[in-house]
Amino acid sequence: MHCVLLLGALCVFLFSRVLPVHPLQEVHVNRETLGKISAASKMMRCSAAVDVLFLLDGSHSVGKAGFERSKHFAITLCDALDISPNRVRVGALQFGSAPHLEFPLDAFPTRQEVKAEIKRMVFKGGRTETGLALKYLLHGGLPGGRNGSVPQLLIIVTDGKSQGQVALPAKQLKERGITVFAVGVRFPRWEELHTLASEPWEQHVLLAEQADDATNGLLSTLAHSALCTIHAPDCRVEAHPCERRTLQTVRELAGSAPCWRGSRRTDAVMAAHCPFYSWKRVFLSHPATCYRTICPGPCDVHPCQNGGTCVPEGPDRYHCLCPPAFAGEANCAPKLSLECRIDVLFLLDSSAGTSLEGFMRAKAFVKRFAQAVLSEDSPARVGVAWYSRELVVVVPIGEYQDVPDLVRSLDHIPFSAGPTLTGSALRQVTERGFGSATRTGQDRPRRVVVLLTESRSQDEVAGPARHARARELLLLGVGSEAVRAELEEITGSPRHTVIYSDPRDLFSQVLQLQGKLCSRPRPGCQAQSLDLIFLLDASASVGPENFAHMQSFLRSCTLQFDVNPDVTQVGLVVYGSWVQVVFELDTHMTRAAVLRAMSQAPYLGGVGSAGTALLHIHDHVMTIRRGARPGVPKAVVMLTGGRGVEDAAVPAQKLRDNGVSILVVGMGPVLREALRRLAGPRDSLIHVAVYTDLRYHQDMIMEWICAEAKRPVNLCKPSPCMNEGACVLQNASYRCECRGGWEGPHCENRVLRGDAPQAHSAHQEPAGGQQPHPSQQAWGRLAHPGH
């Protein structure tokens, strides 16, 4: 029987449905940055003379819906073009099986007419003959163009599935100086778009499905050639990783099944295993880099304080979601105010050394300061100037309508990227920064210059700064750690600088700057005699970074004292794995020497014992032998992280019983009960939530120290008598009764005679230097602070 049973191979075609939400191009940035990209595309404009021709794919592979999206992209881009006969000219050509000129470049002189004509374009269909369209332009040039006398742009919007060769005509067009952008639509074939586009292709290949993103990318590329500009001066082009996807149909082996095949040589039917396949539509990913323009958003400067969350509401508006404790307050912070009568000129460094980012931070800081501190009834007046090579006063002192007007004026300050001539700027500020007013004395407000910089000056600053201070200008410096030394040289004092280690910390310095603007020297405290010991927790529970914060805080506190042997003596003790005396009370005779030694205090680590440290101070530091002075108030300021203080209450009381006051400054989110016991019954405890907030408590700590310096003292506490001598108070003075073998005003000398007396009485003027009476019975008067 010549019959052949033929069973064909089983083929299953499974086409998975394409989810419309699956993006064909994805820029790997957060949602906020995507919003900034979209907003920036509306702030960019092309106003130079240029010919722009849209070449729109109207073939069946694109489809009518894809063609409408291509038109939408073209219309969106036209919104950024300054269309006129002398500037930007726009034309359009549609291609399918053949090219069709929709309107030439010189047809419509206005943006409205061009957009209306693009909307009227009708989808034609046909094959995708991209090569024929390119040859049409090669033979006739850009229709209605200016013959190459101005830059020429060809924007091809296609799915990249041409049915002819495109590489050669595309290359020839680009060789004629035409810049080609390839913009994908629907499910583009990215390889062909790369062939069509100018190089670098990452800056000339886009996706029309995301019209705002594609417009931003195209205008960002043109911004390098000065054809396009951005209204906001702080915007910048950034490179972002992105991913492009292609939808392709792939064949996969699904398995095999028995089948029967006939043989040509015989009449037999043969059994075999035949493969069968499934067909799937899958996305293939292509990593790339996307260049987009980003403009700063209202939340970039972190306006919401105290843990508030910033929610943007457009390119320049926001609102804050505040914690309950700050609900209802602007920016989640209580309104500050400048109650002093001053004229403040903010001087912004606009040089290349500061960088664009640093300049933007400085402007944002001034904005925040004005919004937080100034009010309608504030006696303070503000002005703004910037400098690089020359000084430019943008807002003269007090010449603004209100705070919003002042803030808006800051948006127009340009970044010059010139040299950093801070010395020249200070000289010009002194001469003309505050106008030509001739008022002097009580009739003139205090004049303050606030310098904001992150770059060292390229010219000499010491002379101009001394000249400015001699003209009664208060110079304050705000800058990074890198310019600390120069700012101290300019301002004349570390107290007149605001330093931040991390740029993000700049915006938390508003309160500190406000305090410096209105601060006046506090009389009285510097003139008080005082023996002061700082005790620092250097254990592992604190950590090296927080220990550095405490060191910096101690330096700031020490600046408030007149350090010399006749007024204030300062010592420093640290504790961790062990107790270490960094320097004793009489080690350093000047404030500068104390400041240098504080910077060298070691971080010890390990487990600390505050009780051991306090006992060491009682026995070996706050003693006459170690530099303590009789009749002078004595205080210990202890800064601790709160751990290892459980054994400290008894030693602390022992110090108090011996006439030494103790202030406990506890750091950390939780105030431990052991710290309360350590502080004792009097108000001698200050709680600081985080180490970086120490500076906000400096005034409170100084008030406590100054109050202790004014308290009357017991001349025998701590005992001025050494070698177990007994201190005896009598008639507002004291005397030392020495044990056998010792003599001298404080029982400090060993008796060398063979028969030593059983007891020896001596006295000493409490804080003076008089020699004792030969009878060893002369009496000193009771010493009070300040005598």
Side-chain angles (χ1 to χ4, degrees):
M1 180 177 62
H2 301 281
C3 63
V4 179
L5 297 176
L6 298 177
L7 293 177
L10 178 63
C11 297
V12 180
F13 296 90
L14 298 174
F15 293 92
S16 60
R17 299 182 65 183
V18 181
L19 297 176
V21 296
H22 201 68
L24 297 177
Q25 176 178 278
E26 184 176 3
V27 182
H28 294 305
V29 295
N30 56 38
R31 181 177 299 179
E32 182 181 353
T33 302
L34 287 175
K36 292 178 184 179
I37 292 174
S38 178
S41 66
K42 298 176 176 60
M43 303 171 65
M44 305 172 73
R45 294 289 181 271
C46 284
S47 301
V50 60
D51 288 344
V52 179
L53 181 68
F54 289 101
L55 185 58
L56 303 184
D57 186 344
S59 65
H60 286 308
S61 62
V62 168
K64 186 174 182 180
F67 186 71
E68 291 299 319
R69 292 194 295 272
S70 300
K71 289 165 53 179
H72 173 67
F73 161 70
I75 292 170
T76 302
L77 182 58
C78 284
D79 286 330
L81 304 179
D82 189 1
I83 299 175
S84 68
N86 296 324
R87 292 191 175 182
V88 181
R89 294 184 183 181
V90 176
L93 186 148
Q94 180 183 175
F95 70 92
S97 299
H100 171 74
L101 180 63
E102 297 287 349
F103 58 93
L105 289 160
D106 55 358
F108 300 106
T110 66
R111 182 187 297 128
Q112 291 75 15
E113 292 175 286
V114 170
K115 291 170 63 176
E117 193 64 22
I118 293 175
K119 288 181 181 179
R120 285 193 288 266
M121 291 174 60
V122 178
F123 174 70
K124 297 187 177 300
R127 301 187 308 276
T128 311
E129 296 290 353
T130 312
L132 289 179
L134 297 179
K135 292 175 182 177
Y136 172 86
L137 298 177
L138 281 171
H139 295 153
L142 302 190
R146 283 168 275 191
N147 299 322
S149 61
V150 298
Q152 296 176 303
L153 304 182
L154 177 62
I155 302 175
I156 308 173
V157 187
T158 178
D159 61 358
K161 299 174 182 177
S162 177
Q163 294 172 278
Q165 295 297 320
V166 299
L168 181 59
K171 178 183 177 184
Q172 292 172 334
L173 278 172
K174 289 179 282 188
E175 288 174 346
R176 293 188 181 184
I178 298 175
T179 301
V180 180
F181 287 89
V183 184
V185 67
R186 204 165 180 264
F187 303 113
R189 184 181 296 155
W190 295 103
E191 293 82 358
E192 183 170 308
L193 298 185
H194 296 166
T195 302
L196 293 171
S198 297
E199 293 184 352
W201 61 262
E202 288 187 326
Q203 298 182 29
H204 292 83
V205 174
L206 304 159
L207 182 66
E209 305 289 337
Q210 302 164 348
D212 286 339
D213 177 80
T215 299
N216 185 302
L218 191 146
L219 298 178
S220 298
T221 302
L222 295 182
H224 290 289
S225 59
L227 297 176
C228 296
T229 57
I230 307 172
H231 286 334
D234 294 336
C235 300
R236 61 193 182 276
V237 178
E238 294 182 348
H240 300 282
C242 60
E243 185 178 1
R244 291 168 176 154
R245 300 180 178 91
T246 303
L247 183 66
Q248 290 190 358
T249 302
V250 296
R251 188 178 74 164
E252 292 183 352
L253 178 64
S256 61
C259 62
W260 292 263
R261 294 179 177 177
S263 174
R264 294 180 179 179
R265 298 180 181 178
T266 66
D267 294 336
V269 176
M270 301 179 63
H273 282 277
C274 298
F276 65 92
Y277 299 90
S278 66
W279 296 82
K280 295 183 179 179
R281 302 180 77 180
V282 298
F283 285 101
L284 301 181
S285 296
H286 305 272
T289 301
C290 293
Y291 293 84
R292 300 294 184 264
T293 296
I294 301 292
C295 295
C299 292
D300 286 3
V301 297
H302 309 288
C304 304
Q305 303 175 46
N306 297 303
T309 301
C310 182
V311 180
E313 296 178 341
D316 56 359
R317 298 181 60 190
Y318 68 92
H319 72 272
C320 294
L321 299 177
C322 302
F326 298 94
E329 301 287 354
N331 294 340
C332 308
K335 183 71 175 179
L336 306 174
S337 64
L338 281 177
E339 300 299 336
C340 51
R341 184 168 174 259
I342 56 173
D343 287 347
V344 184
L345 181 68
F346 285 96
L347 182 58
L348 279 61
D349 183 355
S350 181
S351 69
T354 288
S355 78
L356 175 60
E357 290 76 13
F359 184 62
M360 291 167 57
R361 276 193 300 272
K363 291 204 300 183
F365 175 80
V366 177
K367 287 182 181 180
R368 176 176 293 185
F369 181 89
Q371 292 168 336
V373 173
L374 296 182
S375 61
E376 294 182 1
D377 56 352
S378 174
R381 302 188 305 168
V382 171
V384 182
W386 64 270
Y387 75 93
S388 176
R389 190 182 301 277
E390 296 291 334
L391 176 76
V392 179
V393 179
V394 181
V395 181
I397 295 290
E399 295 188 16
Y400 49 88
Q401 297 177 358
D402 49 27
V403 173
D405 180 50
L406 172 63
V407 171
R408 283 192 297 271
S409 67
L410 291 168
D411 292 330
H412 303 293
I413 301 179
F415 176 63
S416 69
T420 311
L421 303 182
T422 308
S424 174
L426 290 172
R427 190 177 298 109
Q428 295 177 68
V429 162
T430 305
E431 300 303 325
R432 60 185 178 90
F434 292 84
S436 57
T438 58
R439 293 182 297 171
T440 59
Q442 296 296 327
D443 189 41
R444 183 173 66 187
R446 190 185 191 191
R447 299 179 301 163
V448 185
V449 177
V450 179
L451 170 65
L452 290 98
T453 180
E454 295 182 353
S455 174
R456 295 185 180 91
S457 180
Q458 296 173 253
D459 62 351
E460 191 260 342
V461 296
R466 284 194 301 269
H467 176 62
R469 297 197 299 269
R471 296 286 294 272
E472 298 182 354
L473 293 184
L474 172 62
L475 303 182
L476 300 179
V478 181
S480 62
E481 189 69 41
V483 294
R484 176 194 289 270
E486 184 169 287
L487 288 180
E488 291 182 356
E489 182 179 23
I490 290 173
T491 62
S493 171
R495 287 179 292 175
H496 294 160
T497 62
V498 177
I499 304 299
Y500 51 88
S501 56
D502 190 316
R504 293 171 295 183
D505 295 338
L506 170 62
F507 303 108
S508 63
Q509 309 299 322
V510 170
L511 184 62
Q512 185 178 359
L513 178 60
Q514 179 215 14
K516 293 181 182 294
L517 286 171
C518 290
S519 66
R520 296 285 185 177
R522 298 184 177 182
C525 190
Q526 289 199 4
Q528 300 297 325
S529 296
L530 179 67
D531 286 345
L532 177 63
I533 294 291
F534 286 110
L535 176 61
L536 285 189
D537 185 348
S539 66
S541 64
V542 171
E545 182 177 351
N546 291 329
F547 182 76
H549 282 304
M550 293 194 292
Q551 279 183 289
S552 177
F553 176 71
L554 289 194
R555 284 171 50 88
S556 179
C557 289
T558 304
L559 291 170
Q560 309 295 321
F561 298 102
D562 182 9
V563 179
N564 69 67
D566 297 322
V567 186
T568 302
Q569 292 189 148
V570 179
L572 177 61
V573 178
V574 297
Y575 70 95
S577 300
W578 65 92
V579 179
Q580 179 171 337
V581 179
V582 181
F583 55 90
E584 296 175 336
L585 286 167
D586 59 353
T587 302
H588 299 296
M589 301 293 105
T590 66
R591 182 167 56 195
V594 169
L595 292 174
R596 285 193 296 269
M598 282 182 169
S599 300
Q600 298 170 3
Y603 169 71
L604 304 179
V607 178
S609 168
T612 302
L614 291 172
L615 279 177
H616 190 84
I617 291 175
H618 178 275
D619 296 337
H620 304 291
V621 178
M622 198 67 82
T623 65
I624 298 298
R625 188 184 300 274
R626 299 297 184 181
R629 296 167 294 175
V632 173
K634 293 169 176 55
V636 174
V637 177
M638 176 181 180
L639 280 72
T640 174
R643 298 185 182 276
V645 299
E646 292 77 12
D647 62 345
V650 173
Q653 190 58 45
K654 188 175 181 180
L655 274 169
R656 291 192 189 95
D657 293 342
N658 208 26
V660 180
S661 301
I662 301 177
L663 174 65
V664 180
V665 183
M667 265 75 67
V670 179
L671 183 60
R672 300 177 183 275
E673 185 60 32
L675 284 178
R676 298 184 189 275
R677 293 195 299 270
L678 170 60
R682 293 200 298 120
D683 186 16
S684 301
L685 174 63
I686 295 176
H687 177 228
V688 182
V690 292
Y691 288 82
T692 53
D693 286 348
L694 268 170
R695 59 184 182 272
Y696 300 135
H697 299 268
Q698 179 172 325
D699 289 345
M700 189 183 306
I701 294 172
M702 293 305 303
E703 288 177 7
W704 182 91
I705 294 175
C706 292
E708 294 301 312
K710 296 175 183 177
R711 295 172 62 88
V713 296
N714 184 327
L715 295 179
C716 287
K717 290 187 177 182
S719 174
C721 307
M722 294 183 283
N723 300 306
E724 300 181 350
C727 179
V728 179
L729 286 174
Q730 187 172 353
N731 297 330
S733 183
Y734 74 93
R735 61 186 175 86
C736 289
E737 294 185 350
C738 303
R739 295 176 64 86
W742 297 95
E743 64 179 7
H746 297 106
C747 308
E748 71 275 16
N749 299 323
R750 184 180 292 276
V751 178
L752 300 178
R753 297 188 299 272
D755 296 325
Q758 293 298 314
H760 181 79
S761 296
H763 88 283
Q764 173 71 359
E765 190 73 16
Q770 299 180 5
Q771 295 296 322
H773 192 274
S775 67
Q776 301 294 334
Q777 294 295 323
W779 299 89
R781 66 184 182 276
L782 178 63
H784 291 277
H787 289 273

